[in-house]
Amino acid sequence: MTNRGLARVPCRDQKTPTKQTAPLSRRGLIGGAAAGLSALSAFGGSAQAVQSNAANGPARLIVAGVPESLSGQWASLLAPNLAETLHKPAFTLTTTTGWDGITGANLFETQQEQVEPPAALMVPGSAILAAMTGDSRVHYDYQRWVPTFLSHQPTVALGRASLHRSLASMINGRPLRVGVSSYNGAELPTVFALDLLALHPLPIPGLGQPNAAIDALRAGTVDVIQLPFDADYTERAATLQEEGFEPLFSNAFPKDPFLRRGLPPDFTTIYQQERRRMPNALNYTVWGAISAACNMKAGLMLPILSTPADISQWRHACQLAATQPDLRTHARDENEYMLTSTACTTAYAAMMPDVSSIMALRRWLALNIPKWRDRPQPRL
């Protein structure tokens, strides 16, 4: 500050005016403001430097599952490619317990408040389904995640059942027994679709594994099962067809890329064939949302507060990673599609229905689960 600006400041030997305070000069006021702005600018620059250093340091990627899970496998393949493209040190993979991904998703949510929060989350679609159904263990909002990579694989309903409503079936109201892992598990799209077809589905829990479900189907314990359209599907379906069991429909949208690779007709097409119309709009949205969630085998998510520049860089890095031979080989071996860029965001948008759809799903579950539990369950 100049001497002229200090000229009006009283020294200790001077007497301070008692009735009138010395006015502050215009130049002194401007000088003080400039000094304050300079200090704020310096502080902002140092804060940016700290953030830049933190961004360039080692980052953690939370895996919602054990290393052998689908999320763990995709994370181990993606992480080296992403680190190289993003010019970052190798990511630290933090695996978690639980097959449904809820534990890892909760951890990702709680650690966002840390000084160095995790960079991203690799999570299965079952964690999203749990949030839709109102699972009490969920403490995260999946609609606040930003998707950058998805692996996609639909499911197929198979069994010995007629999708036509005969007068006898309408009078008897005999339920159609469906093998499921749990009442709100990964088989929910098939159960909901059968309910839309007015076939009175009765879920039989404890049959989440394909081999157990197939054994129950052969034993006559259940009428319908759901199988993933994975690398083993073709052989399993061919064997079941020889025994009289047929694919009923796939839990996929009409333009699913797997329809060109032998996937059975999608549910929308089958419903239109059987009912000569589209399902109720609200119920169809519910089926689409839970099907999209169950068809997501793994997804790489960023927190919602990520900067647009970071999101753009991660999406570009995922797009490049999807072209690498090791990822393409893994996707082919598991019979999955990798979705990046626009296809990724479009697929994830289907998992985010409005509140009315979420409430409709939860009301449907609240109405049916007590009835399912009260009915006599067959011995497995």
Side-chain angles (χ1 to χ4, degrees):
M1 194 173 289
T2 62
N3 293 333
R4 184 173 298 180
L6 294 171
R8 295 183 181 272
V9 180
C11 299
R12 292 184 180 181
D13 296 338
Q14 294 176 325
K15 294 183 179 180
T16 305
T18 57
K19 294 184 179 181
Q20 184 175 0
T21 304
L24 183 62
S25 70
R26 180 182 179 185
R27 183 171 296 179
L29 180 62
I30 295 174
L37 290 174
S38 177
L40 287 175
S41 177
F43 176 78
S46 62
Q48 291 177 358
V50 171
Q51 293 177 354
S52 177
N53 291 336
N56 292 330
R60 290 183 302 116
L61 196 157
I62 291 183
V63 179
V66 296
E68 296 77 21
S69 65
L70 290 177
S71 292
Q73 295 175 33
W74 278 113
S76 63
L77 290 169
L78 269 172
N81 288 280
L82 294 177
E84 181 179 357
T85 304
L86 295 170
H87 306 291
K88 292 179 178 291
F91 286 101
T92 300
L93 301 184
T94 302
T95 58
T96 55
T97 58
W99 63 269
D100 52 17
I102 294 178
T103 301
N106 282 334
L107 183 65
F108 182 70
E109 181 74 15
T110 57
Q111 293 192 353
Q112 289 303 313
E113 302 300 326
Q114 293 184 350
V115 177
E116 294 185 7
L121 167 71
M122 182 65 76
V123 64
S126 52
I128 296 175
L129 180 66
M132 288 183 185
T133 58
D135 194 309
S136 60
R137 297 171 297 161
V138 171
H139 302 292
Y140 51 84
D141 182 2
Y142 74 93
Q143 297 194 13
R144 291 174 56 84
W145 297 340
V146 181
T148 60
F149 171 91
L150 298 180
S151 66
H152 168 80
Q153 182 187 86
T155 59
V156 181
L158 302 94
R160 185 182 287 137
S162 174
L163 300 180
H164 301 283
R165 288 183 300 178
S166 64
L167 180 60
S169 65
M170 294 174 64
I171 294 175
N172 296 332
R174 177 182 176 274
L176 196 66
R177 299 164 300 171
V178 186
V180 300
S181 54
S182 63
Y183 290 128
N184 57 354
E187 300 77 19
L188 194 57
T190 291
V191 177
F192 197 85
L194 293 172
D195 189 66
L196 291 181
L197 288 165
L199 295 177
H200 308 291
L202 173 62
I204 308 300
L207 298 172
Q209 297 299 320
N211 289 337
I214 291 173
D215 290 342
L217 185 65
R218 287 170 171 163
T221 307
V222 297
D223 305 302
V224 176
I225 62 173
Q226 176 180 291
L227 293 179
F229 195 66
D230 57 12
D232 298 323
Y233 171 81
T234 301
E235 181 178 353
R236 285 170 172 163
T239 302
L240 289 173
Q241 283 184 289
E242 292 176 357
E243 300 172 16
F245 303 104
E246 298 288 338
L248 304 178
F249 56 84
S250 60
N251 292 298
F253 292 104
K255 295 184 179 180
D256 192 287
F258 277 109
L259 290 171
R260 300 189 299 268
R261 295 169 56 176
L263 183 70
D266 60 277
F267 169 69
T268 308
T269 300
I270 294 298
Y271 189 95
Q272 289 177 308
Q273 290 177 357
E274 297 297 326
R275 302 295 178 261
R276 305 301 179 185
R277 58 181 173 82
M278 284 289 290
N280 172 275
L282 181 61
N283 291 334
Y284 184 67
T285 301
V286 172
W287 171 84
I290 59 179
S291 295
C294 292
N295 294 347
M296 189 189 92
K297 299 308 173 184
L300 184 64
M301 309 294 172
L302 299 181
I304 191 65
L305 295 180
S306 302
T307 65
D310 283 342
I311 294 173
S312 178
Q313 290 174 359
W314 277 75
R315 284 178 171 167
H316 177 66
C318 288
Q319 193 171 8
L320 292 179
T323 64
Q324 299 303 309
D326 54 344
L327 273 80
R328 293 172 66 88
T329 299
H330 181 72
R332 183 175 60 254
D333 291 345
E334 297 294 331
N335 203 31
E336 297 177 21
Y337 259 108
M338 295 181 287
L339 303 179
T340 60
S341 189
T342 305
C344 174
T345 55
T346 300
Y348 198 67
M351 306 176 208
M352 297 195 290
D354 56 24
V355 175
S356 60
S357 299
I358 294 294
M359 296 308 298
L361 171 62
R362 295 181 182 180
R363 283 195 300 267
W364 181 80
L365 288 171
L367 176 66
N368 285 286
I369 288 179
K371 295 190 298 184
W372 295 335
R373 285 174 175 165
D374 291 341
R375 292 187 70 97
Q377 299 292 333
R379 298 181 64 182
L380 302 180

